[in-house]
Amino acid sequence: MIMAASQRARNSELKQSETWKRHIIRQLKYRNRTQTSVFQDLIESYHSLLEKSKQRALITKGILGSGSRPSLSEDSLTSLKTTTGELAYQVVELQQRIQLKEVTLDEQHTKLYEVQNHLSVLASEHSVLQERVVEVQTRNRLLKQEYDSLLEQHQNMERTYRQEKLRSSEILENMIGPKQQAAVRMNHRNEKRVRAREASLHKELQMAASKNVNIEESGNVSPPKPSSPKRDSSQRLERSHGPLFRSASATSPRIISSIRGLFERKMRGKSVCRSEEDLYIPLGVCLVARVPTKAIFTVDAHELGINAVRFSTSSNLLATGGTDRVIKLWGIEAGTLQNRGTLDGSNEGITSIEFDPTGTQILAASYDKSALFWRLEDSVPKVTLTGHSRKVTAARFKYSQRQVVTGSADRTVKIWDLQRAACIQTIEVLSFCSDVVCSEYLIISSHYDRKIRFWDSRAGTCTQEVPLQGRVTSLDLCPNHRQLLSCSRDDILQLVDLRKSNDRVAFRAEGFKCGSDSTKAIFSPDGSFLAAGSADGAVYIWNVSTGNLEKRLPDMHRASISAVAWSLSGEYVVSVDKSRRAVLWSDI
């Protein structure tokens, strides 16, 4: 057993020693291959030299051994020496080349070591960057989760806000409804009283008209016999005019005109409210608008360009607003424009003008991010509405006259309470707002993104969009509020039927060109014609019923026309341009 164990131990030792030897042999062979591959050309040259030297040695031995030709042996010996010298020189050269190769190899080894060190540094930096990437990804995931939660909270809050806003509007309507009904009932009763008073006065006038009154030259009136109160009132009327006439009838036109003036002073529309803001003066009605044919007056109305013009309800007063920051009032007298005053208070240029239905108050929009409200008797604004972040392009009265709607370049439309001078609602309108028009609960806005949008002011939501082919510059409502007029930069006026918004009529004309992003187009007061100013300085008038160009009024403006206005009586048209000129047109 011991012998067998010792034998196995010796066998294992022999195997280990053989394994170790084989490993060393493999390593030596590998080193030989790697080192000889670099000097393979030198080794081959060396072997060829050895073969040549062996051959020459054999040749030399053969020559010396024969001894038959000593002359040849000397020559061969000489050539052999020469060849040996050459070979020795070649060996020296090869040795030098070997040394150069060894130097180059050392340099390459050094560079390889440096590259390996740099690679290890880059690998460590790469691992550090990978760790940072993992950290950033983890933070991004956390931020994304936080953003999603905040977005969900924002959506919930916005939903709640809209619901509360809708609820508040409903509550406000519920509060206002009974008050409006009470006001309607009160106005109805007052109207009945006024009509009864008018009927009684009419009867008195008829009674007075049936009797002639003789007035003596001395001016003394014979006293009539006592009679009824109706007869007393007629006697009072006769005494009031007695000293002015030799003889007169109760049906005299001057008496009737004085009575009519009395009624006009007493009646103020359907409301008898004494508050100045609630007074409603009946508007004149234009039965047929007259198309102007010639310019009857021109004036340089401002120091800089004019942006807006508007007639009051009286038709003999108009206002112009310009880049020089003021609004000027003009009266029409004998076919001329006479300056009636100036309204100051804006810090920058005026962009739009609007009269209230009474013709005693003016609302204007301004480049200074505000809208301003004046009374005609005051030259400074009574109210300034601030809250927009960019220029205000349009300002309009709502039907209540206590509220104002403004549109701005900051992509919002705001509704304001004039009494509090505060914004009560803001509507995000998605694009630069160039103009607005409104009714009681509907706001229509025009935009630079080539769209007209309809908004429900109660909910603040867009109910409809009408796309156009160009940037929209202005809007105007027909007097019966059944049609909407738009002007756009594609040089086309579009007439939209509000009852059927898909029904549209386009108005074009050769030579007509929309001159700016704020060019205004308007209806005539009877809704039969459209008017707009062109970049060529001419006023173009179209017939709504035929769709054709009715009139072109040229040669009076030196620059692009920015706005036109048509008097409520239908007699006059005023156009203004960027070179501060205002032109009064008429057919008289």
Side-chain angles (χ1 to χ4, degrees), residues 281-401:
I281 296 176
L283 301 180
V285 177
C286 176
L287 298 178
V288 178
R290 303 206 297 262
V291 177
T293 58
K294 60 183 179 180
I296 61 175
F297 188 74
T298 62
V299 62
D300 289 338
H302 286 256
E303 296 179 359
L304 299 174
I306 308 173
N307 301 323
V309 60
R310 185 75 67 173
F311 272 97
S312 73
T313 55
S314 63
S315 297
N316 59 359
L317 179 69
L318 63 95
T320 57
T323 312
D324 56 0
R325 307 179 183 181
V326 298
I327 293 176
K328 290 190 177 182
L329 303 176
W330 305 87
I332 300 179
E333 297 178 3
T336 63
L337 295 177
Q338 301 296 325
N339 192 352
R340 295 283 184 83
T342 301
L343 304 180
D344 302 309
S346 176
N347 295 320
E348 294 188 32
I350 302 296
T351 59
S352 75
I353 297 174
E354 178 90 345
F355 277 95
D356 75 324
T358 66
T360 61
Q361 299 169 344
I362 285 183
L363 179 67
S366 173
Y367 278 98
D368 65 359
K369 310 174 187 177
S370 68
L372 301 101
F373 174 76
W374 287 270
R375 296 185 186 278
L376 292 187
E377 60 267 20
D378 298 328
S379 62
V380 294
K382 179 182 178 182
V383 177
T384 301
L385 306 175
T386 58
H388 285 287
S389 59
R390 295 181 65 184
K391 69 176 181 179
V392 181
T393 55
R396 304 274 186 174
F397 285 103
K398 288 196 76 176
Y399 270 22
S400 65
Q401 300 183 44

Side-chain angles (χ1 to χ4, degrees), residues 33 42 60 77 83 99 192 235 264 289 357 363 399 559 564:
R33 284 196 302 272
L42 297 177
T60 304
L77 185 61
T83 304
Q99 291 177 356
K192 283 185 177 180
Q235 291 172 0
E264 289 177 355
L363 179 67
Y399 270 22
V564 292

